[in-house]
Amino acid sequence: MATDTATDAGSAPANEPIHVDSADDLDAVVSEHDVVLTDFYADWCGPCQMLEPTVETIAAETAATVAKVDVDANQQLAGAYGVRGVPTLVLFADGEQVEEIVGLQGEDQLRTLVDSYTN
């Protein structure tokens, strides 16, 4: 599992998910990257665990950067984005939130969504 932090992020998409631990970390990742798929998850969440390989593939194979937010460790951040269930995926493009998806998603669906903002 990736242990990168937002401070490691560059302007190019990260090939592994970036774990963020605060609103400032997430803001930095969103401002440094054109398209950011943010995965709000919990370690105890079965669907979140099933989604993990998919978000890792999206990070590795698309032009999007993937940020991961543990909702248990970052309750205020999750609340700020209205996260009521996990997994919740929030997509940012050019610094703005453009999509929010709740629940387990297939790789094809996520790849199509990300590609619509990166192409």
Side-chain angles (χ1 to χ4, degrees), residues 1 3 10 14 18 24 27 31 43 45 47 52 55 60 66 73 75 85 87 92 102 104 107 116-117:
M1 187 151 80
T3 56
I18 299 169
D24 289 341
D27 289 345
S31 69
D43 289 333
C45 166
E52 179 73 17
V55 296
V66 174
Q75 292 178 7
F92 296 90
V102 179
L104 185 60
E107 181 180 333
S116 71
Y117 290 95

Side-chain angles (χ1 to χ4, degrees), residues 4-112:
D4 290 344
T5 62
T7 56
D8 296 329
S11 58
N15 289 335
E16 295 182 346
I18 299 169
H19 291 262
V20 297
D21 292 319
S22 69
D24 289 341
D25 281 355
L26 183 57
D27 289 345
V29 171
V30 169
S31 69
E32 291 173 10
H33 301 279
D34 293 335
V35 177
V36 178
L37 180 66
T38 306
D39 177 16
F40 289 88
Y41 74 98
D43 289 333
W44 48 262
C45 166
C48 298
Q49 294 168 4
M50 293 169 57
L51 186 61
E52 179 73 17
T54 300
V55 296
E56 288 178 353
T57 299
I58 295 296
E61 297 180 2
T62 71
T65 296
V66 174
K68 295 192 59 73
V69 179
D70 182 341
V71 297
D72 290 329
N74 298 285
Q75 292 178 7
Q76 286 185 323
L77 180 56
Y81 283 94
V83 174
R84 300 201 187 288
V86 286
T88 294
L89 300 167
V90 176
L91 186 70
F92 296 90
D94 298 320
E96 299 294 323
Q97 180 178 339
V98 292
E99 302 279 350
E100 180 178 318
I101 305 163
V102 179
L104 185 60
Q105 302 296 311
E107 181 180 333
D108 289 343
Q109 293 168 303
L110 288 180
R111 189 179 293 269
T112 299

